[in-house]
């Protein structure tokens, strides 16, 4: 079956589709699907507003990973290097302030016996959702770095998109078979 798929997907160089490239595509699909699942669950536990605020961490994480993997050079003697570090620190601290501070409760029944438990439970869900969104942003940054290396090794974008979508579909199908309890499709 893989032989048939390789014939259908156009390649710029003959024999440029290797096992390591397919493994990279599989990893790209796994990281992409994990990032989406974490993001959707993070929004479920918190709010889309938090997701929007935390989404600004993707360039920060990508920048930090690019420095770690030596794809980007950081020169602290230059003003541009210091500005990059300062911007990274401000972005990360702002995102974590949004995660850890939700604000005070505006409406709550004053004579509810479970008032403190409800507030603590909501705060725990908010923090859990924010951490899920932060991990989703980290995975999106890893996805960007991995995709860049795949594009350098396989210049055909159609090949990358095809196998990324194929592997992500297979992974999500297997995941949904384990997670979904009602396999009849009914509500």
């Amino acid at each position: 079956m893989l032989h048939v798929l390789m014939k259908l997907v156009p390649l710029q160089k003959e024999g440029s589709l290797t096992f390591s490239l397919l493994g990279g595509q599989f990893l790209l699909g796994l990281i992409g699907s994990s990032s989406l699942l974490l993001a959707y669950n993070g929004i479920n536990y918190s709010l889309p507003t938090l997701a929007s605020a935390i989404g600004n961490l993707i360039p920060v994480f990508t920048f930090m990973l690019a420095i770690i993997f030596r794809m980007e050079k950081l020169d602290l003697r230059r003003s541009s290097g210091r500005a990059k570090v300062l911007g990274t620190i401000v972005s990360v601290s702002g995102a974590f302030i949004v995660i850890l501070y939700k604000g005070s409760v505006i409406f709550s029944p004053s004579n509810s016996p479970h008032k403190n438990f409800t507030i603590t439970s909501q705060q725990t869900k908010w923090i859990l959702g924010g951490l899920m969104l932060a991990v989703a942003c980290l995975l999106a940054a890893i996805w960007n770095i991995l995709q860049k290396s795949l594009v350098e090794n396989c210049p055909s974008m159609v090949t990358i998109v095809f196998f990324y979508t194929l592997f992500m579909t297979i992974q999500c199908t297997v995941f949904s078979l384990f997670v979904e309890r009602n396999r009849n499709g009914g509500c």
Side-chain angles (χ1 to χ4, degrees):
M1 181 171 159
L2 186 60
H3 185 318
V4 174
L5 291 175
M6 290 172 65
K7 295 277 186 190
L8 293 175
V9 177
L11 298 173
Q12 289 186 356
K13 294 183 255 177
E14 186 65 35
S16 64
L17 191 60
T18 63
F19 184 73
S20 65
L21 190 61
L22 284 175
Q25 302 275 350
F26 179 83
L27 189 60
L28 193 69
L30 184 64
I31 291 170
S33 62
S34 300
S35 175
L36 288 175
L37 289 172
L38 280 170
Y40 292 144
N41 281 318
I43 291 171
N44 188 33
Y45 282 116
S46 59
L47 292 173
T49 307
L50 181 65
S52 176
I54 298 297
N56 293 326
L57 285 178
I58 295 173
V60 170
F61 287 143
T62 305
F63 173 67
M64 291 168 50
L65 289 171
I67 289 174
I68 291 170
F69 294 128
R70 299 182 190 266
M71 300 168 84
E72 174 91 19
K73 292 184 181 180
L74 182 64
D75 187 9
L76 293 176
R77 291 173 277 164
R78 299 182 69 196
S79 61
S80 62
R82 290 190 300 269
K84 289 177 184 179
V85 170
L86 181 64
T88 301
I89 291 170
V90 168
S91 295
V92 169
S93 55
F96 281 109
I97 286 172
V98 170
I99 290 173
L100 298 174
Y101 179 74
K102 183 180 177 187
S104 59
V105 177
I106 296 174
F107 272 107
S108 68
S110 58
N111 49 357
S112 172
H114 303 292
K115 177 181 173 183
N116 289 336
F117 177 73
T118 304
I119 292 172
T120 305
S121 175
Q122 289 173 350
Q123 289 172 343
T124 303
K125 284 186 174 183
W126 180 268
I127 291 172
L128 181 63
L131 291 176
M132 284 180 172
L133 290 167
V135 172
C137 291
L138 177 63
L139 286 175
I142 293 170
W143 187 87
N144 286 335
I145 298 288
L146 181 61
Q147 185 184 29
K148 181 187 182 297
S149 69
L150 286 174
V151 167
E152 289 173 350
N153 293 329
C154 180
S156 173
M157 289 301 293
V158 174
T159 304
I160 292 172
V161 171
F162 173 77
F163 282 108
Y164 167 70
T165 307
L166 176 71
F167 287 136
M168 192 169 173
T169 302
I170 292 169
Q171 292 162 2
C172 287
T173 302
V174 170
F175 180 77
S176 66
L177 288 175
F178 285 109
V179 173
E180 180 59 39
R181 301 283 183 227
N182 184 6
R183 299 214 175 146
N184 296 329
C187 295

